[in-house]
Amino acid sequence: MTTIAPAPHAPSRLSLWLDLIRWNRPAGWLLLLWPTLSALWVAAGGFPGWHLLLVFTLGTILMRSAGCCVNDVADRDFDRHVKRTAQRPVTSGQVSVKEALAVGAVLALAAFALVLTTNALTIALSFAALAITLAYPFAKRVLSMPQAVLGVAFSFGIPMAFAAVQGAVPALAWVLLLGNLFWVLAYDTEYAMVDRDDDLRIGMKTSAITLGRADVAAVTAFYLLHLAIWTVVLWPQLRQTVWLAALAVALGQVVWHFTLIRTRSREGCFAAFRANHWLGFTLFVGVALSLV
């Protein structure tokens, strides 16, 4: 007598939405969170208060999740040709385009409601941040280094943090944004190195393709530029011994990343990308302990 295996249950809408926003992969929102919190601490000269900490932590998670929805809708025709992304909910047809955009809109509105509890300048900057977030998925069609657009999007929490604390955005905030942009270039190039063969086949533009065989050297240089810029501009603000300790740990991570990506294996490059939030955490700890 043969037995028939029960059909697998279709995933619930909630599980599909959680997959859509990469809920089980927190590295993405952590990459946004640590530089934003570092900026909050620098702007406030220490702990910024529970209100702003909550606004920027929840806002970061919500906006990164909304960005995933927009990105998956924009890239759905490309993602089906990439092994790593072919089963994403929108690409696989489990979540419709309208549904994904609706989820993204709800998340973005929730983030905006948090921003409304700050001040007028922060609210104004949030519109610029949203525009850059919406532009990034389409930059991959026309720009040879679309990671630079992502770098601005992923760094925009820095001027917003200064605006929320000080009611102004000093030059320091923009220089910190520039330094953070180089960090985004480093880790998103590592990410692009994972999919380089697939992206070449489908005609996607990425920094990994543009840089070619200079990719490993460029990623290393991006890391060093990030650390150098932050060290130069934060040196007068922080306790130097604490910052130097954090910097030493960060440089050790850069060396580790070099060992992971130097052979350009998919596994090594993806492992390097996923570990980047530890570098951001290291710098945040250096900032926070320096301002106790």
Side-chain angles (χ1 to χ4, degrees):
M1 179 177 179
T2 58
T3 58
I4 300 175
H9 293 292
S12 67
R13 302 320 297 168
L14 178 60
S15 66
L16 287 172
W17 294 345
L18 291 175
D19 191 25
L20 175 68
I21 66 173
R22 324 275 203 273
W23 183 254
N24 63 337
R25 297 185 287 281
W29 59 261
L30 288 171
L31 292 172
L32 279 158
L33 182 64
W34 296 130
T36 301
L37 293 187
S38 294
L40 267 180
W41 255 254
V42 172
F47 181 62
W50 289 109
H51 168 240
L52 288 181
L53 179 59
L54 184 65
V55 166
F56 278 89
T57 299
L58 292 181
T60 293
I61 296 171
L62 288 167
M63 279 308 298
R64 187 263 179 174
S65 299
C68 289
C69 298
V70 174
N71 186 79
D72 283 9
V73 168
D75 284 353
R76 64 191 185 279
D77 293 331
F78 292 100
D79 283 348
R80 64 170 51 98
H81 301 290
V82 179
K83 183 178 181 181
R84 185 179 54 80
T85 59
Q87 294 307 310
R88 285 178 174 173
V90 176
T91 304
S92 62
Q94 297 176 90
V95 172
S96 70
V97 168
K98 287 184 178 180
E99 185 178 359
L101 292 177
V103 171
V106 169
L107 294 169
L109 285 171
F112 185 61
L114 290 169
V115 174
L116 288 175
T117 68
T118 59
N119 57 37
L121 179 58
T122 311
I123 294 168
L125 288 173
S126 73
F127 286 101
L130 178 62
I132 299 166
T133 300
L134 294 175
Y136 167 66
F138 303 98
K140 291 179 280 189
R141 280 104 168 127
V142 295
L143 298 178
S144 59
M145 292 281 284
Q147 280 70 20
V149 179
L150 183 71
V152 176
F154 268 41
S155 304
F156 219 76
I158 294 172
M160 288 182 66
F162 275 85
V165 173
Q166 300 182 1
V169 184
L172 172 61
W174 298 113
V175 179
L176 288 173
L177 182 151
L178 174 65
N180 200 71
L181 186 152
F182 282 111
W183 182 38
V184 180
L185 283 174
Y187 66 66
D188 208 51
T189 299
E190 290 174 340
Y191 193 50
M193 289 166 71
V194 177
D195 297 330
R196 176 159 36 202
D197 293 341
D198 292 323
D199 289 336
L200 279 168
R201 189 178 68 254
I202 63 180
M204 188 72 79
K205 298 178 185 293
T206 72
S207 57
I209 293 171
T210 300
L211 292 167
R213 299 301 291 180
D215 51 0
V216 174
V219 166
T220 305
F222 292 151
Y223 278 125
L224 296 177
L225 282 167
H226 165 50
L227 296 176
I229 291 171
W230 272 43
T231 297
V232 169
V233 298
L234 291 178
W235 190 256
Q237 318 272 335
L238 305 178
R239 194 178 305 162
Q240 284 90 3
T241 52
V242 175
W243 179 255
L244 286 174
L247 184 63
V249 176
L251 287 169
Q253 291 177 62
V254 172
V255 173
W256 176 45
H257 279 247
F258 173 79
T259 65
L260 288 172
I261 68 173
R262 63 182 175 182
T263 63
R264 300 179 176 85
S265 70
R266 286 181 181 242
E267 296 76 17
C269 293
F270 194 53
F273 165 74
R274 294 188 66 181
N276 262 279
H277 64 92
W278 289 111
L279 192 148
F281 173 71
T282 299
L283 297 186
F284 167 69
V285 169
V287 167
L289 292 181
S290 291
L291 296 171
V292 171

